Amino acid sequence: MNDTSPDRTDQDPTGRPRTEHDGTEQELREALSALAGGVQAAPDAYRTARGDWLRRERRRRLVLAALIAVVFTLATLIGLWVLNQTPSHPGVIFSGAGSPGTPGGWLAGRT
């Protein structure tokens, strides 16, 4: 069953046993190598791609900065509007009036 004679251990250069698909794989490899070898990149392809990427990055940062400025401005305006909505007369808590007869306020009279 485990015959290791020279005709049974036929392996390819990678060290794995040969299969029936090796011929097809080799042909495909050669065809793709020939196709890849014929592809020529444009001389300024890297510069163009990098410029596009930098423009997108710059635009993304500008949009983010504008969004942060808008949110900060809205939060400030809403906060000022809410603070402006307080009643003009002083509230009971901050009136400074203590209980009658107690000079220091209502807590001063408690023991």
Side-chain angles (χ1 to χ4, degrees), residues 18-105:
R18 291 183 192 260
T19 64
E20 61 188 44
H21 299 290
D22 284 342
T24 306
E25 290 177 9
Q26 184 62 29
E27 290 173 7
L28 183 59
R29 242 185 240 111
E30 290 171 2
L32 289 175
S33 295
L35 182 63
V39 173
Q40 297 294 325
D44 62 343
Y46 175 75
R47 188 178 311 132
T48 303
R50 187 171 187 274
D52 290 344
W53 180 81
L54 288 174
R55 273 191 292 279
R56 283 193 305 267
E57 182 71 16
R58 196 176 311 119
R59 182 176 178 174
R60 184 187 63 84
R61 288 182 184 206
L62 284 172
V63 167
L64 184 63
L67 183 64
I68 289 171
V70 166
V71 168
F72 181 77
T73 303
L74 282 175
T76 302
L77 291 174
I78 290 171
L80 290 173
W81 178 76
V82 167
L83 287 174
N84 196 32
Q85 298 301 315
T86 58
S88 59
H89 58 82
V92 176
I93 296 173
F94 301 111
S95 67
S99 61
T102 309

